[in-house]
Amino acid sequence: MRRAAVSNALPELPNIDAGLFDRPSPERFSHAAPARHAPRFLLLYGSLRERSYSRLLTEEAARLLRAMGGETRIFDPAGLPLPDSAPDDHPKVQELRELAQWAEGMVWCSPERHGAMTGIMKAQIDWIPLSMGAVRPTQGKTLAVMQVSGGSQSFNAVNQLRVLGRWMRMLTIPNQSSVAKAFLEFDEAGRMKPSAYYERVVDVMEELMKFTLLTRDAAAYLVDRYSERRESAEQLSRRVNQRAI
């Protein structure tokens, strides 16, 4: 996107490169052509159990997103190697990374185990790189976080997921879901029973959809940073002015 024009000098900011400085304005958000396709969501869960409550909650979230007009993909972590134990071209790693690039928003849902997210959940996030060439596959994309617990309600896992979302430069929505005693919240068919917990999940998916529709067209502008523009300008200058090829 083209930056808003600024003066050639910023006398009160002598350490700023005026040519790279940006003055945000509402008009900047109207430049991008609006996307016409259904919002795309990748959903990750953190358990391999046959009756995995994080998977069941994730499937319920996917149904809600589809009902709201979204397109969903759920990644199955079975067979995903531990980070750094396999090459990047491992089929499961490639599948996960391709889905991360495809998605415009994500849902991360982990059980809480020993007061933390599971290793299965963390391994999936660790396999998504901060950069792939010149592309950051998560930057500027929306994120909703959820957790299931076997006992009383806790927020340890969702709090950790929020930290990871920030580290991955994602737009993590304010709302979240934490389902206590999850074994009581699903019927034999694996569907979530009516409850305040279920209504919270509906709220979270509705908020995720709204934030995704609001930000996806402007994601590149929202995460455009002065420091990175300056770094890119310096790299370009070195390349253009190099004496030897």
Side-chain angles (χ1 to χ4, degrees), residues 10 30 84 88 92 177 224:
L10 296 169
S30 61
D84 302 324
D88 292 351
K92 291 295 291 188
S177 170
D224 183 40

Side-chain angles (χ1 to χ4, degrees), residues 57-243:
L57 183 58
T58 296
E59 290 173 348
E60 202 67 37
R63 293 185 187 99
L64 288 164
L65 289 171
R66 290 194 296 270
M68 294 174 189
E71 183 179 357
T72 64
R73 298 285 187 274
I74 299 176
F75 178 73
D76 179 359
L80 182 70
L82 289 173
D84 302 324
S85 70
D88 292 351
D89 60 1
H90 186 284
K92 291 295 291 188
V93 174
Q94 286 296 304
E95 178 189 356
L96 176 59
R97 291 185 172 187
E98 288 171 5
L99 287 172
Q101 289 185 291
W102 166 85
E104 296 166 324
M106 294 191 193
V107 178
W108 295 350
C109 180
S110 177
E112 181 172 320
R113 185 171 297 169
H114 302 311
M117 78 179 77
T118 61
I120 295 167
M121 189 78 235
K122 183 63 160 57
Q124 293 175 81
I125 298 169
D126 284 347
W127 270 120
I128 301 173
L130 289 176
S131 64
M132 297 176 66
V135 178
R136 290 185 172 89
T138 54
Q139 177 169 273
K141 298 181 180 184
T142 54
L143 172 66
V145 295
M146 306 192 298
Q147 76 169 74
V148 294
S149 302
S152 58
Q153 192 173 43
S154 171
F155 300 95
N156 290 326
V158 288
N159 288 339
Q160 292 174 332
L161 291 171
R162 283 188 177 278
V163 171
L164 287 172
R166 183 171 69 246
W167 190 258
M168 303 295 280
R169 297 183 173 182
M170 303 184 76
L171 306 175
T172 309
I173 67 170
N175 214 339
Q176 63 188 25
S177 170
S178 175
V179 179
K181 297 182 179 178
F183 61 92
L184 297 177
E185 298 302 321
F186 295 85
D187 61 25
E188 290 301 315
R191 297 303 302 272
M192 195 170 185
K193 301 174 184 177
S195 69
Y197 289 134
Y198 178 75
E199 292 180 0
R200 172 60 69 89
V201 176
V202 178
D203 290 347
V204 172
M205 293 306 108
E206 183 178 338
E207 189 170 290
L208 176 63
M209 176 64 77
K210 290 175 180 177
F211 271 73
T212 305
L213 290 171
L214 181 67
T215 63
R216 67 173 178 170
D217 295 328
Y221 176 53
L222 287 170
V223 297
D224 183 40
R225 295 173 174 83
Y226 169 80
S227 61
E228 293 177 353
R229 293 195 298 272
R230 182 170 174 79
E231 180 183 20
S232 297
E234 290 176 349
Q235 291 173 346
L236 176 62
S237 178
R238 286 197 299 270
R239 187 169 69 251
V240 170
N241 294 305
Q242 61 185 332
R243 295 180 180 276

Side-chain angles (χ1 to χ4, degrees), residues 34-52:
R36 299 299 182 188
H37 61 269
R40 302 190 294 252
F41 298 98
L42 169 61
L43 297 91
L44 307 179
Y45 60 92
S47 170
L48 298 179
R49 292 178 176 175
E50 182 177 355
R51 187 170 170 83
S52 164

